[in-house]
Amino acid sequence: DALSGGDLSAAIEEVEELLILSDMGMETVESVVDTLRSRTKRSDNAVQVLKEILVEHLKEVETSETIFSELPHVISVVGVNGTGKTTTIGKLSKMYSSLGKSVVVASGDTFRAAAVEQLKHWCEQTGAEFISQGHGADAASVAFDAVNHALSKKKDLVIIDTAGRLHTRHNLMEELKKIHRVVARLIEDAPHEVLLVIDANTGQNGLMQARKFLDAVRVTGIILTKLDGTAKGGIVFAISRELGIPVKYIGIGEKLEDLRPFDPEMFVEALLS
Amino acid sequence: MFESLQEKLGRAFRILSGKGRITEKNIEEAVRMVKLSLLEADVNYKVVKEFINRVLEKAVGEEVLRSFSPDQQFIKIVRDELISVLGEKISRLELQSNPSKVVLVGLQGTGKTTSCAKLAYRLKSQGKKPLLVAADVYRPAAIDQLEQLGKQIGIPVCSGDRKNPLGIIRQGIEDATRNVNDVIVFDTAGRLHVDEDMMSEVREIVKIVKPDEVLMVVDSMMGQDAVTSANKFNDALELSGFIVTKLDGDARGGVILSIRHVTGKPVKFVGISEKVDGLEVFHPDRVAGRILG
Ligand SMILES: Nc1nc2c(ncn2[C@@H]2O[C@H](COP(=O)(O)OP(=O)(O)OP(=O)(O)O)[C@@H](O)[C@H]2O)c(=O)[nH]1
Ligand SMILES: Nc1nc2c(ncn2[C@@H]2O[C@H](COP(=O)(O)OP(=O)(O)OP(=O)(O)O)[C@@H](O)[C@H]2O)c(=O)[nH]1
Ligand SMILES: [Mg+2]
Ligand SMILES: [Mg+2]
């Protein structure tokens, strides 16, 4: 019986190791491997079947292109420290500007040293309008300012930068909720998108981050950064499996053009290479 | 179910030994549980395999099978082995020369700039006269970031012409000599271990500085791939140790076991908050408990 043949089980063991090394997490790996075993008849097509299983997984939570349901469209960018939020906002503002949208950026990290200067630099490069109240201001007040400005000046898009925060800090998670509440006072459905930025190097804690941020605010998508390194970002499988949050974009470098819409097939190809 | 590994193992041994004496099969089950727990904690897969083999050898050698409390003896073997790999005694900074020089390196966003300020603050509170050198010319406002932190803690920051990293570090060494600083802490740009140009730049920086310490700053929530970058940085620069950051989060921190195991270099400090006083000396036993979960 081919399924109990040495070749297939050796192939499956190799697959298991590859998936674990990609940060997919034991539970998710076991479920994928079980599916693989039940669908693969010979070891020579195991990789192809695996690709199909993984792509299916990601397509289950895939969402369509972002449409601005009303103007301004408001995006809030959140996540733990150092994942690439500020840089990604630079990239998003470039992407939307080149699509002809008028972009307003809210300098919502009023805490970290030189966070305002860092974001200001990106806005100068992309031509996005930069709204800031300086270091030490109230983050919710800056977000309110930016959305208010966009409303009165009929701008297309507001992107809110927020300070990196560990999901274990209750008061910081409460501050994030407050930023969103304040913005919703101006536009009921805002923020229309809440993008959680996750570093592709992150291990199983990435799942905990997603759970906690989702508990606090309505996370609508993930941006997976630093995929130009050697980490595979397999944690997104565990996140989409358990929480149903789709990956919207990937970061593949430190420059403004280094952002791509998420492509499940390409992502799985890279993961298995 | 928030059961600690110790409780899980205890339960497994009791259930399995309920029918009489402990068997080889019980040990296999215990090993499987430890393996799962370490993988959940982000310890690298290959490191887990090697670690488990060492534990098995010890378990056989110490005749856990014949012990009165096999679960406790087994977990003790695991814990002791973990602590011995993590580093038995707390490792300190080796500052031999005058001025002594410490260079911080690592991947993007791990906490290098913040850790430079924390280290300088710690050295100042120990009576030293540190100088900070801002050699990251790539990230927007990176130099501003270190300058602002330096101002907060009353420590001077050298930024040279703000354009050329090698020029900046040479300026820093000159300034330190002129102002009689006894220790210099150098911040460098985040870089990928697969970026040839940036790796050759950091090799050049280390060659010019001839530092007493080259510390790689690693994020405690990193997963399986951490060993790749740790190995590459260690091969390129001969690291003297690590700083592991963001331990105030709830990542289990298995990356610490991995990087320690594959490079043999000690973890010298851990970052436990975003503030300048958020740096602690590495305690292997505390981290062991955290990794085991
Ligand atoms: N290689 C690579 N580096 C990235 C990517 N995205 C961001 N970075 C780098 O990661 C580092 C941190 O980026 P930031 O944008 O400051 O991250 P952040 O989440 O805003 O950080 P905090 O606000 O401090 O929490 C910077 O050095 C960026 O250049 C990416 O896709 N690839
Ligand atoms: N909670 C917590 N945050 C930390 C710690 N260390 C650094 N951070 C935060 O992590 C983020 C990144 O820190 P940086 O010092 O800018 O990191 P970096 O390695 O210099 O980043 P690049 O220069 O872009 O590579 C910032 O938001 C810091 O405040 C820590 O120990 N705990
Ligand atoms: Mg930021
Ligand atoms: Mg830095």
Side-chain angles (χ1 to χ4, degrees):
Chain A
D1 161 30
L3 270 180
S4 58
D7 270 348
L8 183 61
S9 72
I12 293 204
E13 231 188 87
E14 241 176 80
V15 160
E16 192 178 50
E17 174 163 328
L18 177 70
L19 296 183
I20 293 173
L21 289 173
S22 79
D23 285 316
M24 204 174 276
M26 279 309 295
E27 264 198 47
T28 307
V29 170
E30 290 190 350
S31 124
V32 167
V33 166
D34 282 345
T35 312
L36 183 63
R37 264 200 204 94
S38 64
R39 279 201 215 172
T40 313
K41 298 293 169 273
R42 310 186 312 277
S43 65
D44 57 352
N45 68 349
V47 174
Q48 186 51 39
V49 177
L50 177 64
K51 278 190 191 161
E52 292 168 5
I53 295 170
L54 293 179
V55 171
E56 276 170 32
H57 238 87
L58 295 173
K59 291 218 152 138
E60 270 164 33
V61 287
E62 200 178 28
T63 59
S64 48
E65 293 263 340
T66 304
I67 300 184
F68 292 7
S69 54
E70 63 182 326
L71 299 184
H73 181 78
V74 181
I75 299 176
S76 169
V77 178
V78 306
V80 303
N81 308 70
T83 54
K85 298 177 291 301
T86 304
T87 310
T88 301
I89 289 173
K91 296 173 183 178
L92 286 169
S93 74
K94 172 159 180 80
M95 181 184 89
Y96 279 113
S97 296
S98 58
L99 291 175
K101 307 288 183 210
S102 52
V103 184
V104 175
V105 171
S107 173
D109 181 354
T110 53
F111 170 75
R112 206 206 67 214
V116 170
E117 290 85 338
Q118 182 188 8
L119 187 58
K120 182 157 192 264
H121 166 95
W122 286 126
C123 290
E124 284 167 354
Q125 299 262 316
T126 65
E129 214 169 325
F130 182 64
I131 303 288
S132 173
Q133 292 175 9
H135 186 258
D138 174 48
S141 161
V142 181
F144 186 90
D145 240 10
V147 176
N148 208 11
H149 174 82
L151 270 169
S152 66
K153 295 287 192 284
K154 309 237 183 308
K155 303 291 180 179
D156 298 319
L157 173 67
V158 180
I159 311 178
I160 304 170
D161 191 14
T162 63
R165 70 201 66 224
L166 293 183
H167 50 285
T168 46
R169 292 283 305 275
H170 177 77
N171 59 332
L172 297 182
M173 296 307 282
E174 287 302 306
E175 180 201 58
L176 189 58
K177 286 182 189 171
K178 177 171 170 226
I179 294 173
H180 286 202
R181 265 201 312 276
V182 157
V183 162
R185 261 183 236 146
L186 284 173
I187 302 178
E188 201 177 341
D189 290 343
H192 306 90
E193 284 185 83
V194 179
L195 301 177
L196 174 64
V197 179
I198 297 195
D199 185 328
N201 287 291
T202 312
Q204 297 311 299
N205 195 250
L207 179 57
M208 189 57 98
Q209 292 170 24
R211 281 183 193 139
K212 289 285 155 36
F213 273 87
L214 185 62
D215 274 347
V217 293
R218 210 186 75 255
V219 175
T220 60
I222 290 186
I223 301 184
L224 188 63
T225 59
K226 308 180 198 172
L227 272 172
D228 46 323
T230 50
K232 302 291 184 168
I235 195 64
V236 297
F237 284 96
I239 294 174
S240 51
R241 186 166 166 258
E242 182 180 309
L243 306 170
I245 309 174
V247 179
K248 302 289 289 182
Y249 304 97
I250 60 171
I252 55 166
E254 302 187 71
K255 306 210 284 305
L256 285 173
E257 51 270 21
D258 295 330
L259 186 75
R260 298 281 177 278
F262 185 63
D263 178 331
E265 271 96 359
M266 288 192 65
F267 181 71
V268 170
E269 274 289 335
L271 192 133
L272 298 180
S273 64
Chain B
M1 258 216 295
F2 228 152
E3 230 180 343
S4 74
L5 178 65
Q6 172 130 11
E7 291 167 343
K8 281 198 195 117
L9 283 177
R11 203 163 45 83
F13 271 111
R14 274 192 296 281
I15 292 173
L16 299 170
S17 71
K19 319 196 181 62
R21 45 178 291 278
I22 303 282
T23 66
E24 300 261 339
K25 204 128 190 58
N26 302 160
I27 297 283
E28 273 181 35
E29 174 62 12
V31 161
R32 198 188 66 83
M33 282 186 162
V34 171
K35 176 174 170 216
L36 233 65
S37 178
L38 293 177
L39 285 176
E40 275 171 12
D42 290 324
V43 180
N44 179 272
Y45 190 56
K46 303 190 172 133
V47 172
V48 171
K49 282 194 190 160
E50 294 177 23
F51 181 81
I52 288 294
N53 283 340
R54 301 247 284 274
V55 164
L56 263 175
E57 281 174 24
K58 282 238 165 72
V60 165
E62 293 184 20
E63 310 203 314
V64 172
L65 293 184
R66 306 215 210 157
S67 149
F68 282 118
S69 57
D71 57 330
Q72 288 189 29
Q73 185 164 355
F74 189 75
I75 196 89
K76 179 165 190 317
I77 291 174
V78 172
R79 194 186 182 85
D80 289 350
E81 187 60 25
L82 190 50
I83 293 179
S84 98
V85 177
L86 289 175
E88 297 205 6
K89 67 177 201 299
I90 296 165
S91 170
R92 308 224 180 260
L93 278 185
E94 304 293 331
L95 305 180
Q96 318 287 14
S97 32
N98 197 342
S100 347
K101 309 189 207 83
V102 182
V103 179
L104 265 57
V105 301
L107 299 176
Q108 289 88 349
T110 55
K112 296 175 295 299
T113 304
T114 311
S115 299
C116 280
K118 288 177 179 179
L119 208 51
Y121 179 74
R122 181 185 174 88
L123 290 164
K124 179 175 177 183
S125 61
Q126 289 172 346
K128 298 239 176 231
K129 190 163 176 260
L131 172 71
L132 283 163
V133 176
D136 179 358
V137 305
Y138 306 95
R139 168 173 156 154
I143 296 180
D144 298 272
Q145 185 184 2
L146 195 60
E147 285 175 336
Q148 288 182 18
L149 289 169
K151 205 179 245 117
Q152 274 181 41
I153 54 184
I155 292 178
V157 177
C158 168
S159 56
D161 67 353
R162 305 175 91 90
K163 294 212 189 84
N164 186 334
L166 302 186
I168 296 171
I169 65 178
R170 284 196 183 97
Q171 182 71 47
I173 296 172
E174 260 186 56
D175 287 2
T177 313
R178 197 175 344 106
N179 299 326
V180 200
N181 296 101
D182 49 13
V183 59
I184 317 175
V185 180
F186 297 82
D187 186 23
T188 65
R191 69 199 67 227
L192 294 178
H193 49 294
V194 292
D195 185 331
E196 304 252 339
D197 293 334
M198 288 303 275
M199 288 310 284
S200 88
E201 173 194 275
V202 73
R203 267 199 300 274
E204 196 62 23
I205 288 176
V206 169
K207 197 151 145 244
I208 295 174
V209 171
K210 298 192 192 36
D212 300 81
E213 294 266 4
V214 181
L215 302 174
M216 184 178 184
V217 180
V218 172
D219 194 322
S220 63
M221 59 185 181
M222 280 190 78
Q224 296 287 316
D225 198 56
V227 298
T228 313
S229 48
N231 263 331
K232 275 268 149 64
F233 272 79
N234 192 37
D235 288 344
L237 310 175
E238 196 62 61
L239 303 173
S240 60
F242 297 98
I243 295 180
V244 179
T245 59
K246 308 176 199 170
L247 265 169
D248 42 322
D250 56 4
R252 296 261 296 271
V255 64
I256 301 176
L257 176 62
S258 305
I259 61 184
R260 179 88 183 104
H261 178 95
V262 302
T263 66
K265 300 298 161 73
V267 175
K268 301 229 171 182
F269 296 101
V270 293
I272 54 145
S273 89
E274 283 192 78
K275 313 224 269 333
V276 276
D277 57 357
L279 193 74
E280 271 184 8
V281 171
F282 177 64
H283 288 280
D285 52 341
R286 285 188 209 162
V287 169
R290 181 182 180 128
I291 292 178
L292 285 179

